[in-house]
Amino acid sequence: MKKYLFIVLLWPYFALAQQTLKLTIGPEKEALSHAHYVYGTQKGTANEQGIITLKPIEGASLEITHLSSGYQLIGPEELKSALAAGELQLARGTGYQLQPVTVIALRPSKPQQELLPVGYYGAIAHDAGAFLLSNPVVAGIRKSGAYGVDPVLRGFKYDQINIILDDGHTALAACPNRMDPPASQIPMNMTGSVEILKGPHVLRYGNTTGGTIHFRSNPPEFSDHLAPMARVTIGYESNGEIVRSELMAGINSRNIQAQLFGTVSQGGSYTSGKGDEIPAAFYRQSAGARISAKPAGNQLLQINVFNNRARDTDFPSLPMDLRSDNTWMLNLRHELESKEQTFKALRTQVNASMVDHVMDNLTRLINSRTMDARTLAQTSFAGFRSEGEFSFGKGVMFAGIDARSETSSGERTRKMLMGPMAGKEFKDNIWQDAVVNRSGLFAEYRQSFGAYNFVGAMRLEYLSARAGKADDKFSSTYTQLDANQLFPSLSAGASRLLNPNFSVSLWLSRSMRGAGIAERYINFLPIGLDPYEIVGNPSLKPEVNHQADIELQYRNKGLFAVVSIFGTLLNDYISQEKTDMQPRLPSSPGVRQFRNIDRASMTGFEFQLKSKLPASLTAGLQMAYVRGQNLSLEEPLPEIAPLDARIFLHGSYAKGKLTPELSLRTVGKQSRISNNFGETETPGFTLVDLAVSYQIANSFYLKLSGTNLLNENYYEHLSRAMRVTTPPTPLYAPGRSLNVLLNYRLN
């Protein structure tokens, strides 16, 4: 009896000797799986459910590092409360220990503080490419003032960057001039966050030489009882009379979540800073459904279907305007979670997308065109991806297979209006029914050793390409139209936590990318910076990028700072060079051909600083710079954005209900230009914006803002010159605009 009494009396001390703590992240309280922790002399990794086991140490702090939360230091008192509750909820942050990544939160479950202004603007954005410009690490190529911004990441563009939704879904641009880039098809009002994975270090989602922009949908939520959910957002911008709206409605139950969603946006011409009218009319709508189900406690089945439509959109920098764009995207995914010691999860999905695109110049003034031109183009994408997750002690491995098939077809009709050929009609086979198939094996392994974290990745990819209906002129240019290539890519990185506040990271990669459809099979069309016709090259070798990234990060309770420095050496870089081929149109100055450049380089840096100030204020600074060089020709690479710096001052008052923000953006002059591609220098500019958000009631949010308050007359370096004027003039950005946004949500 004395023995049992002794155990009962000492039981509280035994219980305290070892306690479990569940780590969760964000308002949705997702399990923070495989987070690394340091607690005194105790070190380890959370399991799949985010659970760690600690022996309490008086006065000790807990250090947590994870891709989603970054580095966070939990003080003794906060940790004591968390241990008593059995759960520690962490905020989302910028991770550093695995790959160089920037995360943009779009819309948290409960809008609050600094996430609110970003969240609801993102929900009604009709163009994801334009939304990405909120971070200076991403620049954008504009050919229209209001639609179809094509992202540029660290100087890499088009097929050099991978733009995906939920691990692998995408759509292909049907327009040769990319009026409809993949980013324009993303359903922004169902997107929860965006990961900008800088560099070619992440190989799980496909080969790339520039990086991956990964849009992630909000995770499904289930409820013990039947619960409705709804959200509506409307917005208005005075300059261009732009009206935007989005709607989501659905129900939650124990095992099923069903959602319907849609958006409508439209606008007209806007005025520049000096009052010139810029053609920018557009209309965009989307509608879709998402059903998530749990057929078993450890499984998730989800189907996503949505349709995007655009019509009558001005593209003053291109020979034609968008008449209609009709895109369908479908995704079916299955997730299986396991409690086995080694096998942890299997995630499989199949994707498909179809784009039907029509463009013409029939609404252009008759005295500004020599022909009537109309193009009907179609693309399709089909993909499969299956990835397993495995645990080996403190190591985690992701391994799987994927495959994707891309097809493009279309025809341009030209009816001559002037000269000796007046009245004659010609048809051009623009895409030659091209097909590019890719399949790959990939693996990524993560391992922690105390304050060190390592990651290694590999990918082996096979590519096949062919022209299903080759044009006679194109066929006579090349002896071989098909391509079959097999190439590997490798990446490795490590980070070191030097002290509770400071870390250093290094990544090294050798990545290879096979040329896409446009680079191989575009058939004498002016799709570049100038009126030169561009012809594809089926014989292109894979582009090779040798890249190093170094990142230094400092974080304490009131200050966060990170600087990233990168350098690349590119072999067989895919670009265009002038040839002596004869153009198809007499008005064209010549023909450029896609070719491999022996050597090129990209170097640059990004810097971010965020600090808490007195009076409930937060200040921040972001900047990015890239230098691109054609080492073979000893001249700058084209389409490289200049230095971009952003400063903001943000406040939070009335218990977070009132959030004012003042921001300033300064862009430097770009004098490093490629004369070979007809680039011209662009002047620098400075913009000032002001926004105030207010929570009117529990479910109502209002945002008032003014953009370009100084009415600066400016244009971006990557914006294409307008061809609707003679001679071409810059595509000036909007002048001052006053905007309002209202959101209501029920959940």
Side-chain angles (χ1 to χ4, degrees), residues 676-738:
N676 190 42
F677 281 83
E679 279 194 307
T680 58
E681 293 187 2
T682 51
F685 57 87
T686 298
L687 306 177
V688 177
D689 298 339
L690 177 65
V692 178
S693 301
Y694 184 68
Q695 180 182 342
I696 302 174
N698 288 338
S699 299
F700 280 97
Y701 299 87
L702 174 68
K703 178 180 178 181
L704 303 175
S705 64
T707 55
N708 194 3
L709 291 177
L710 301 181
N711 212 26
E712 179 93 352
N713 192 52
Y714 75 101
Y715 61 96
E716 307 276 358
H717 179 71
L718 297 186
S719 294
R720 300 282 176 83
M722 293 196 298
R723 297 188 183 184
V724 294
T725 60
T726 305
T729 56
L731 178 62
Y732 282 95
R736 184 185 299 113
S737 182
L738 303 178

Side-chain angles (χ1 to χ4, degrees), residues 30 132 288 318 328 435 452 498 599 620 733 744 747:
E30 296 178 17
L132 290 171
L318 298 178
W328 283 94
V435 179
Y452 288 94
L498 300 178
R599 296 170 67 246
Y744 171 80
N747 55 10

Side-chain angles (χ1 to χ4, degrees), residues 268-342:
S269 299
Y270 62 78
T271 57
S272 66
K274 66 176 182 179
D276 294 334
E277 185 174 287
I278 307 297
F282 75 95
Y283 177 85
R284 166 65 184 265
Q285 70 178 45
S286 67
R290 173 176 297 162
I291 300 175
S292 305
K294 292 197 297 184
N298 64 336
Q299 296 186 52
L300 174 67
L301 183 65
Q302 189 175 76
I303 183 169
N304 299 272
V305 180
F306 55 95
N307 174 245
N308 297 325
R309 292 178 181 266
R311 70 166 188 259
D312 299 331
T313 298
D314 291 332
F315 278 82
S317 298
L318 298 178
M320 301 186 201
D321 296 320
L322 183 153
R323 197 57 49 218
S324 69
D325 188 270
N326 184 12
T327 300
W328 283 94
M329 298 184 73
L330 303 94
N331 169 264
L332 177 65
R333 60 190 297 126
H334 177 263
E335 298 182 7
L336 171 66
E337 303 293 331
S338 170
K339 295 183 179 179
E340 298 293 330
Q341 184 173 357
T342 300

